[in-house]
């Protein structure tokens, strides 16, 4: 856009050269304006991410303190609390737990976007991690919704390059999402495979599935599908956004396949160690 032609003579060709230079100058000015606007918007977005990270971080301490005092009080005075008050305090504690999880998710997402998320990427035993998370989720899923959670991990599965704590968070969110959207009697299966370059984790369910028009939006933060909104299901719509951001932060990829009424399959691919 900085290139100009030499104007020679006073004929039609010279006028064309003048017009060309004027057009190039206009384009250069327009591109400069666009660049400045892009930098301004980028700075605003960065400030917003840092603000969300700071606010969510500051909220963690008082919420943790309130939860601690509430749990301590319920245990200490359990025998002396009226039945109605005990039930009300249990509801309050459950809501504080949900609020704490939401704040933690917001904090993690904001740090990831602001470039402040610290990862410890190293060889990770994916098979052991899957076994641990499936065992933790299976009993609760069966007790609360009669959903069976199983694992299928081959012997000798190679390790993946990942942050173990963040990968566990990814798998926990995918399991929670699958269980939540699977009707009683359904199955959630976690499978792992590997090829020469990657280790893949699949979380399959026999649940309600995702409408085709929603597939491109499920990764957006705070987005909840029509089924979740109409059914009053818990959750703020941050789980899958967190799955995507954490997976990509570990140089991995995540994708989904789904058929309405037949279930969904979320696949996380990570570099092989």
């Amino acid at each position: 856009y900085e290139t100009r032609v030499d104007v020679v003579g006073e004929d039609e060709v010279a006028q064309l050269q003048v017009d060309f230079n004027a057009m190039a100058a206009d384009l250069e000015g327009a591109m400069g304006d666009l660049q400045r606007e892009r930098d301004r918007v980028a700075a605003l977005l960065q400030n917003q991410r840092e603000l969300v990270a700071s606010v969510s971080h500051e909220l963690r301490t008082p919420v943790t303190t309130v939860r601690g005092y509430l749990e301590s009080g319920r245990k200490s005075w359990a025998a002396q609390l009226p039945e109605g008050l005990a039930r009300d305090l249990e509801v309050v504690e459950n809501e504080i737990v949900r609020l704490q999880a939401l704040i933690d998710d917001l904090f993690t997402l904001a740090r990831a976007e602001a470039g402040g998320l610290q990862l410890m990427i190293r060889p990770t035993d994916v098979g052991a991690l899957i076994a641990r998370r499936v065992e933790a989720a299976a009993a609760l899923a069966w007790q609360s919704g009669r959903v069976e959670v199983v694992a299928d991990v081959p012997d000798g599965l190679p390790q993946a390059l990942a942050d173990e704590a963040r990968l566990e968070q990814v798998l926990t969110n995918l399991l929670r999402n699958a269980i939540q959207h699977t009707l009683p009697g359904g199955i959630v299966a976690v499978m792992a495979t590997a090829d020469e370059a990657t280790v893949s984790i699949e979380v399959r369910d026999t649940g309600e599935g995702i409408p085709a028009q929603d597939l491109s939006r499920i990764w957006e933060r705070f987005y909840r599908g029509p089924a979740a909104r109409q059914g009053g299901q818990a959750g703020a719509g941050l789980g899958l956004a967190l799955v995507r951001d954490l997976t990509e932060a570990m140089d991995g990829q995540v994708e989904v396949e789904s058929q309405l009424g037949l279930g969904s399959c979320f696949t996380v691919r990570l570099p092989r160690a």
Side-chain angles (χ1 to χ4, degrees):
Y1 298 106
E2 298 176 356
T3 300
R4 302 291 184 269
V5 296
D6 295 330
V7 179
V8 180
E10 299 181 358
D11 55 7
E12 292 87 348
V13 175
Q15 185 58 49
L16 177 62
Q17 293 167 337
V18 171
D19 292 342
F20 181 87
N21 287 341
M23 178 187 68
D26 289 343
L27 284 173
E28 184 179 12
M31 292 300 296
D33 291 341
L34 288 172
Q35 180 68 39
R36 285 188 290 272
E37 181 65 16
R38 189 187 71 174
D39 293 343
R40 186 184 72 84
V41 172
L44 287 174
L45 288 174
Q46 183 67 14
N47 290 337
Q48 182 188 52
R49 293 168 186 142
E50 292 175 355
L51 175 63
V52 172
S54 298
V55 170
S56 56
H57 177 69
E58 293 301 322
L59 286 172
R60 297 171 83 185
T61 300
V63 170
T64 301
T65 302
V66 170
R67 180 181 176 183
Y69 273 100
L70 183 58
E71 290 178 345
S72 175
R74 287 188 62 209
K75 290 179 180 178
S76 300
W77 299 93
Q80 304 177 41
L81 290 174
E83 182 179 351
L85 179 57
R87 186 168 55 251
D88 290 345
L89 290 178
E90 182 180 0
V91 172
V92 171
E93 184 177 348
N94 290 336
E95 291 304 304
I96 289 177
V97 171
R98 285 184 57 195
L99 178 60
Q100 192 173 37
L102 173 60
I103 291 171
D104 288 343
D105 286 350
L106 272 175
F107 181 58
T108 303
L109 279 169
R111 282 202 303 170
E113 286 196 338
L117 186 64
Q118 296 181 346
L119 297 174
M120 296 188 63
I121 304 296
R122 55 191 177 188
T124 299
D125 188 341
V126 174
L129 189 149
I130 291 174
R132 186 165 65 246
R133 293 317 309 160
V134 167
E135 182 180 3
L140 182 60
W142 181 257
Q143 181 181 359
S144 61
R146 289 297 184 264
V147 174
E148 186 179 2
V149 182
V150 298
D152 181 11
V153 179
D155 294 333
L157 182 72
Q159 293 184 326
L161 286 175
D163 182 304
E164 184 171 354
R166 298 304 181 186
L167 180 56
E168 191 160 357
Q169 194 173 2
V170 166
L171 184 55
T172 298
N173 283 4
L174 288 177
L175 278 170
R176 185 188 302 122
N177 184 74
I179 293 168
Q180 186 177 28
H181 293 279
T182 300
L183 296 175
I187 297 176
V188 174
V190 183
M191 293 170 280
T193 57
D195 57 28
E196 294 181 356
T198 62
V199 176
S200 299
I201 303 172
E202 292 185 358
V203 179
R204 293 180 175 269
D205 64 68
T206 58
E208 59 199 27
I210 304 170
Q213 64 270 22
D214 290 337
L215 282 175
S216 62
R217 300 196 60 192
I218 61 173
W219 309 110
E220 299 174 11
R221 61 187 58 193
F222 300 114
Y223 180 76
R224 301 173 70 218
R229 295 193 298 269
Q230 295 171 6
Q233 295 174 351
L238 289 176
L240 292 180
L242 193 59
V243 165
R244 180 198 61 187
D245 285 7
L246 290 179
T247 301
E248 292 179 353
M250 295 184 289
D251 292 328
Q253 297 177 327
V254 60
E255 59 188 35
V256 59
E257 296 178 355
S258 184
Q259 287 185 292
L260 199 59
L262 297 178
S264 305
C265 176
F266 287 84
T267 303
V268 173
R269 292 187 175 88
L270 294 166
R272 180 169 169 168

